Amino acid sequence: MTFFLRFSKLIRFCLFAGLIFVSLACLAGMFLVFYVAKDLPKLPSPLSRIIETPQTRVFDSNGQVLITLGERNPIPLNMVSRDFINAIIATEDHRFFDHHGVNKLRILKGLYVTLFQSGNVQGASTITQQLAKNLFFSFEKTYTRKFKELLVALQIEASNTKQEILHAYINQIHFGAGAQGVEKAARVFFGKSAFDLSLPEAALLAGLPKSPTNYNPYRHYDRALARRDIVLKRMVQTGLISDLEARQAMSAIPELYHEESDSRTGSYFVDALINELISTYGEDVVYHGGLKVFATMDKRLQSYASQSIKKGLERLDTMMGIKAENRVHPQGALVAIDTGSGAVKAMVGGKNYYKSEFNRAVKARRQPGSGFKPFVYYAAFKQLGWHPATIMTDKPVIIPVKGAADWKPKNFTKTFSGDMILKKALINSVNTIAAQLVEKIGPDAVIRIAKACGIQSPLKNVYSIALGTSTITPFEMASAYTVFATLGIRHEPFFFRRVEDALGRVIFEHIVQEKRVLEPSIAYQVVDMMKSVIDRGSGRSVRQLGFNRVAAGKTGTTDNYNDAWFTGFTPNLCTSVWIGFDRKKRLTDINKNGITGGKGAAPIWAEFMINALKSDPERDFSIPDDIRFETVDIITGCTPKEENSIAEFLTVPLKQEQFLCVKEEK
């Protein structure tokens, strides 16, 4: 009897405790709802007004609008292809007409995957929740935001019909290529109205919102088709089309609309900037957030860059005997960076954006050839204590390579000139001397300097790095050379200075930060040598073309003539130019002679820099306090003797503690 009495008391206690717990949970839930609800926005009436959210605008460095993102052409549901409506519902929310804003089964599945499948995060948003997310909140993945999103979704469902919700949703989806809303997307990708979309076209569009960048059919057509097939399979699974209709649609290859009037940005710079914004804030914020973005681009310099690349590549076609009707033409890239801040002032990634959106300035990794030698010379000066008047011998070189054949670097001239000072070796771009320098200091020493200057691409730890055999991008080249222009100060390159939200609040501001990565005196010695490259060496063609300002630079040409470069800088602007075929192929003129960086890339650089700097005051590079100048014989490295009138002399910068007539030990 006592046992049953105690057991009944325990049961009553548990019931009362459970009731109290449930009551407290309900009160806490109500408090949470009321607490969160006070910050919820007031829904517009009618719901279609949410399409009027502010657009993101991008401004250039002078405050002029570069591009507006999120432009929409809203249309009623009855003007949209039924195939598209079925495709988007099957893909995004197949129970859309059955739930009241929240799909409980999807939430449970999402929780299970997120909690129990390590590394996976499963979303559970309905179309209504996506509408709420895109229009009202920050896009941080927090539980508070998800809860607010759910409450707004319930509000939307309670006060609007399914047709009104679907109408608002399909008119604000971002499809990529600047297309916001289904009508804009249909016009951009297929040159037709949303009403006229076929099933294959509708399914392709319905697959884009998952990742407009990765599935952009202008850039990744195969990916877009694969995603389209997934959409068609979902339509079969949900009973919206038959298996036969799906197979027929999968066999169709929709033709994209390629007129220049479409909504692609038309700019390699803007594409790079948008990619940077998306990597920071996500596509939803960039295209739905009503941001104001203040870019670093100078429209005047950008125009000069585009003209220079276009004219330079047309001149190259003539030089090579390539006719306009030929399918394959050489391409080019140009990047210009402000040396004092790292601001990217201009960027061109190809001859014609609408024929090829591939941005060679930031994505094409190519061998820089002799353009890599400044890093070699700096590393040698730093590690060995040498200087521009140190003597080395241009001679046949055989460098043993462990586990491989001996390396036998050759000069472009196929000849050897004997003893010379290092300044003369860089002016003439002597390969054998650069190879001997790397043999003495090791490839890793060169790699450390290049990485410190901003080269991020993988660099092979091999002796041939002396001749630029590892691949890098024009963007990296321009950024790294700015460190020489500033005598060792590194500024991280950037595309935008400030970002404001829709209410004008600053959510990002770039603070220019300096980092010293090179010794100023040694950097100046390399810069002085690079000045002579332009004045009397492999880059002298820029002088012949009329560029007369103080500047330093270096040509680059690969052994097989696949790549030609010129990268140079004044104290305030650094520009890198690359030319070559996308699929590696020799650059040769009509006489089958190889085209070097001095002949192919330097003229583009010169034309751009003449225009870009014509309104800027001229100035020289600053000279460190511990630098002195000496005139030396290029063969002996010593002060010239009066009776030796036939010798060639060069003026070299030396640190105060450095001595002349220093020859490398045999």
Side-chain angles (χ1 to χ4, degrees):
M1 188 71 178
T2 303
F3 170 77
F4 287 108
L5 186 62
R6 288 178 178 175
F7 183 73
S8 63
K9 286 182 178 180
L10 179 62
I11 293 296
R12 287 198 299 273
F13 173 79
C14 291
L15 286 173
F16 282 120
L19 287 172
I20 292 171
F21 177 79
V22 170
S23 299
L24 289 174
C26 289
L27 288 172
M30 291 172 63
F31 173 78
L32 179 62
V33 169
F34 283 115
Y35 176 77
V36 173
K38 68 180 182 179
D39 294 327
L40 296 181
K42 182 179 179 180
L43 294 180
S45 181
L47 185 64
S48 59
R49 287 188 56 198
I50 60 180
I51 301 169
E52 300 169 7
T53 52
Q55 301 168 354
T56 290
R57 288 183 294 169
V58 180
F59 301 86
D60 75 352
S61 60
N62 296 312
Q64 297 181 346
V65 176
L66 282 176
I67 192 171
T68 299
L69 305 176
E71 182 183 359
R72 304 175 178 92
N73 296 324
I75 56 173
L77 274 181
N78 61 7
M79 293 301 294
V80 180
S81 160
R82 173 51 57 181
D83 285 328
F84 175 79
I85 292 175
N86 288 339
I88 203 72
I89 289 174
T91 307
E92 298 296 329
D93 186 2
H94 72 281
R95 295 179 59 82
F96 173 70
F97 288 104
D98 300 323
H99 62 66
H100 298 287
V102 179
N103 188 332
K104 294 179 282 294
L105 291 176
R106 290 183 73 178
I107 289 177
L108 291 174
K109 179 183 177 183
L111 282 173
Y112 175 81
V113 172
T114 301
L115 294 175
F116 298 106
Q117 294 186 11
S118 178
N120 291 326
V121 178
Q122 176 76 41
S125 294
T126 63
I127 281 177
T128 316
Q129 286 174 279
Q130 291 180 52
L131 190 62
K133 176 187 70 173
N134 289 341
L135 294 166
F136 298 111
F137 303 115
S138 72
F139 296 89
E140 297 176 357
K141 294 183 178 181
T142 64
Y143 290 111
T144 302
R145 194 221 76 195
K146 293 294 292 182
F147 188 60
K148 288 182 177 182
E149 175 190 306
L150 185 147
L151 292 179
V152 172
L154 294 175
Q155 278 188 306
I156 292 174
E157 289 275 351
S159 55
N160 297 274
T161 67
K162 289 290 186 179
Q163 285 71 27
E164 289 170 334
I165 295 169
L166 191 58
H167 170 254
Y169 179 72
I170 65 172
N171 278 296
Q172 62 83 44
I173 307 174
H174 172 58
F175 293 87
Q180 198 86 1
V182 63
E183 176 68 8
K184 188 76 173 180
R187 299 285 181 187
V188 166
F189 292 107
F190 300 116
K192 60 174 63 174
S193 71
F195 184 80
D196 295 324
L197 290 171
S198 66
L199 176 58
E201 294 166 344
L204 190 148
L205 288 188
L208 300 184
K210 179 178 175 66
S211 181
T213 300
N214 289 330
Y215 295 121
N216 184 339
Y218 285 121
R219 298 173 185 168
H220 312 294
Y221 194 60
D222 290 343
R223 293 183 198 171
L225 289 180
R227 174 66 181 160
R228 187 235 6 220
D229 292 349
I230 292 173
V231 172
L232 290 167
K233 290 175 183 177
R234 287 289 299 152
M235 294 178 75
V236 172
Q237 292 168 0
T238 53
L240 293 170
I241 60 172
S242 68
D243 188 61
L244 176 61
E245 288 175 309
R247 288 200 305 271
Q248 290 174 340
M250 288 179 188
S251 66
I253 307 297
E255 184 176 349
L256 295 177
Y257 184 61
H258 284 283
E259 289 297 319
E260 295 191 13
S261 58
D262 66 31
S263 292
R264 286 176 285 168
T265 68
S267 166
Y268 295 104
F269 179 98
V270 174
D271 277 357
L273 178 142
I274 290 175
N275 288 338
E276 187 80 13
L277 288 170
I278 288 173
S279 69
T280 305
Y281 301 107
E283 288 177 328
D284 288 333
V285 172
V286 173
Y287 287 97
H288 298 289
L291 303 177
K292 288 183 179 179
V293 181
F294 297 88
T296 58
M297 179 211 281
D298 185 316
K299 285 183 76 172
R300 182 178 63 89
L301 268 61
Q302 182 67 28
S303 176
Y304 292 144
S306 299
Q307 293 171 20
S308 299
I309 284 287
K310 184 175 184 295
K311 289 173 63 177
L313 292 177
E314 289 173 351
R315 183 169 54 244
L316 187 63
D317 280 347
T318 301
M319 191 186 308
M320 298 179 68
I322 298 176
K323 299 184 182 300
E325 59 268 23
N326 285 29
R327 292 184 60 188
V328 180
H329 293 258
Q331 281 287 353
L334 183 153
V335 181
I337 299 178
D338 178 72
T339 61
S341 65
V344 182
K345 307 302 290 184
M347 173 184 286
V348 179
K351 184 177 182 179
N352 186 316
Y353 175 90
Y354 288 100
K355 290 183 178 179
S356 172
E357 294 178 39
F358 179 67
N359 191 343
R360 297 156 188 83
V362 295
K363 294 181 179 179
R365 289 179 174 170
R366 305 298 289 250
Q367 292 182 340
S370 294
F372 210 75
K373 287 177 181 173
F375 306 113
V376 176
Y377 278 82
Y378 180 91
F381 290 175
K382 170 72 174 174
Q383 189 160 316
L384 302 173
W386 290 1
H387 53 68
T390 301
I391 301 296
M392 288 193 75
T393 304
D394 176 19
K395 61 184 179 182
V397 173
I398 300 176
I399 299 177
V401 179
K402 188 176 181 180
D406 292 345
W407 184 42
K408 302 176 182 179
K410 299 288 191 296
N411 292 326
F412 260 77
T413 61
K414 310 300 182 184
T415 61
F416 305 100
S417 302
D419 288 352
M420 65 179 68
I421 62 173
L422 290 180
K423 182 171 181 175
K424 181 67 173 178
L426 186 65
I427 291 173
N428 290 358
S429 201
V430 180
N431 288 342
T432 62
I433 288 181
Q436 292 175 69
L437 289 174
V438 173
E439 184 183 22
K440 286 182 176 295
I441 62 177
D444 56 325
V446 180
I447 292 172
R448 284 196 301 271
I449 297 303
K451 292 289 186 183
C453 290
I455 301 295
Q456 297 179 345
S457 294
L459 300 175
K460 295 180 181 178
N461 194 337
V462 293
Y463 289 117
S464 62
I465 196 172
L467 308 185
T469 54
S470 289
T471 57
I472 61 177
T473 67
F475 180 78
E476 290 176 296
M477 199 69 162
S479 174
Y481 266 48
T482 63
V483 180
F484 289 111
T486 57
L487 303 188
I489 299 296
R490 165 79 175 155
H491 298 101
E492 198 67 31
F494 63 102
F495 291 95
F496 51 92
R497 298 182 181 276
R498 190 169 78 253
V499 180
E500 298 177 1
D501 66 13
L503 299 177
R505 295 173 299 199
V506 177
I507 60 176
F508 170 82
E509 188 145 22
H510 181 86
I511 306 300
V512 175
Q513 295 181 327
E514 298 183 349
K515 181 181 180 181
R516 176 160 293 284
V517 296
L518 303 180
E519 290 186 21
S521 298
I522 300 177
Y524 181 81
Q525 290 179 324
V526 177
V527 169
D528 176 79
M529 295 162 69
M530 295 167 74
K531 287 171 67 176
S532 292
V533 169
I534 287 180
D535 291 336
R536 58 195 299 173
S538 58
R540 61 187 178 277
S541 60
V542 305
R543 296 298 189 211
Q544 297 165 357
L545 291 165
F547 182 79
N548 299 315
R549 287 174 176 260
V550 173
K554 185 70 186 76
T555 55
T557 311
T558 53
D559 284 343
N560 47 24
Y561 294 99
N562 284 347
D563 302 280
W565 298 71
F566 188 82
T567 306
F569 50 88
T570 63
N572 61 316
L573 188 67
C574 181
T575 300
S576 183
V577 174
W578 165 85
I579 59 169
F581 287 95
D582 284 336
R583 293 188 176 181
K584 296 178 181 179
K585 179 181 176 182
R586 285 168 58 88
L587 294 167
T588 56
D589 62 22
I590 56 177
N591 296 318
K592 304 304 180 183
N593 297 315
I595 296 174
T596 64
K599 288 177 64 177
I604 297 173
W605 185 94
E607 180 172 337
F608 169 74
M609 293 293 277
I610 288 171
N611 288 311
L613 300 172
K614 60 186 176 183
S615 60
D616 291 0
E618 185 171 353
R619 63 187 181 94
D620 202 344
F621 298 99
S622 58
I623 303 174
D625 293 338
D626 60 344
I627 286 290
R628 76 181 197 276
F629 292 91
E630 298 282 354
T631 299
V632 301
D633 186 310
I634 66 163
I635 295 177
T636 67
C638 301
T639 302
K641 298 178 179 178
E642 292 184 10
E643 64 271 16
N644 194 355
S645 59
I646 62 171
E648 183 181 349
F649 308 118
L650 284 173
T651 300
V652 296
L654 301 176
K655 296 168 69 174
Q656 295 296 347
E657 69 273 13
Q658 290 175 331
F659 298 96
L660 293 176
C661 303
V662 179
K663 184 172 181 178
E664 62 101 4
E665 294 182 4
K666 297 290 185 183

